[in-house]
C-alpha cells in the first residue's frame, strides 16, 4: 500500500477528488486552508491580503499499482496549469489498521 500526499491550489479542490474517484479511490483525508509556497516557482499561497490564495492538501492510501498512475495523472494536470501549483508524492505504508 502507498500513501499519496497531494498539496494543491484550492481552485483544484473538486478536480482532485474527482481524479481520485476515477482511479477507484473512495477514501481520503483533506485539509483545507493550507498555506505555503513552492520550492521552485510560483507565488506564495498565504491567505493574506498580499497573497490571498490558499492551498488544500489531501492524503489517500492507494494500492501499490495505482500510485504511479495517479501521480502521472496529477503531474499531467500540473503541467497544464503550472501557475496554480500542485505537488504530489507517495511513500510505502508497512501496515495499516
Amino acid at each position: 500500500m502507498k500513501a499519496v500526499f497531494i498539496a494543491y491550489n484550492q481552485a483544484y479542490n473538486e478536480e482532485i477528488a474527482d481524479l481520485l474517484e476515477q482511479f477507484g479511490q473512495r477514501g481520503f483525508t483533506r485539509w483545507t486552508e493550507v498555506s505555503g509556497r513552492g520550492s521552485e516557482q510560483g507565488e506564495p499561497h498565504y491567505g493574506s491580503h498580499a497573497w490571498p490564495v490558499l492551498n488544500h492538501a489531501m492524503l489517500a492510501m492507494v494500492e501499490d499499482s495505482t500510485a504511479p498512475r495517479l501521480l502521472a495523472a496529477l503531474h499531467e494536470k500540473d503541467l497544464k496549469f503550472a501557475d496554480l501549483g500542485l505537488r504530489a508524492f507517495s511513500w510505502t505504508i508497512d501496515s495499516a489498521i
Side-chain angles (χ1 to χ4, degrees), residues 42-53:
E43 297 179 350
H45 295 180
Y46 293 154
S48 67
H49 177 71
W51 305 104
V53 175

Side-chain angles (χ1 to χ4, degrees), residues 12 72-83 85-87:
Y12 280 131
L74 290 164
H75 183 63
E76 184 177 318
K77 184 175 288 296
D78 182 47
L79 291 174
K80 279 176 109 172
F81 303 104
D83 289 346
L86 187 157
R87 296 293 178 265

Side-chain angles (χ1 to χ4, degrees), residues 49-65:
H49 177 71
W51 305 104
V53 175
L54 283 166
N55 289 327
H56 290 185
M58 191 174 287
L59 181 66
M61 303 301 158
V62 303
E63 295 298 324
D64 288 351
S65 61

Side-chain angles (χ1 to χ4, degrees), residues 16-51:
I16 301 300
D18 290 346
L19 185 62
L20 286 172
E21 193 166 322
Q22 289 173 20
F23 282 89
Q25 184 62 38
R26 184 178 179 278
F28 60 83
T29 298
R30 181 182 353 208
W31 294 269
T32 59
E33 298 185 10
V34 177
S35 63
R37 71 176 180 193
S39 59
E40 296 175 17
Q41 297 177 6
E43 297 179 350
H45 295 180
Y46 293 154
S48 67
H49 177 71
W51 305 104

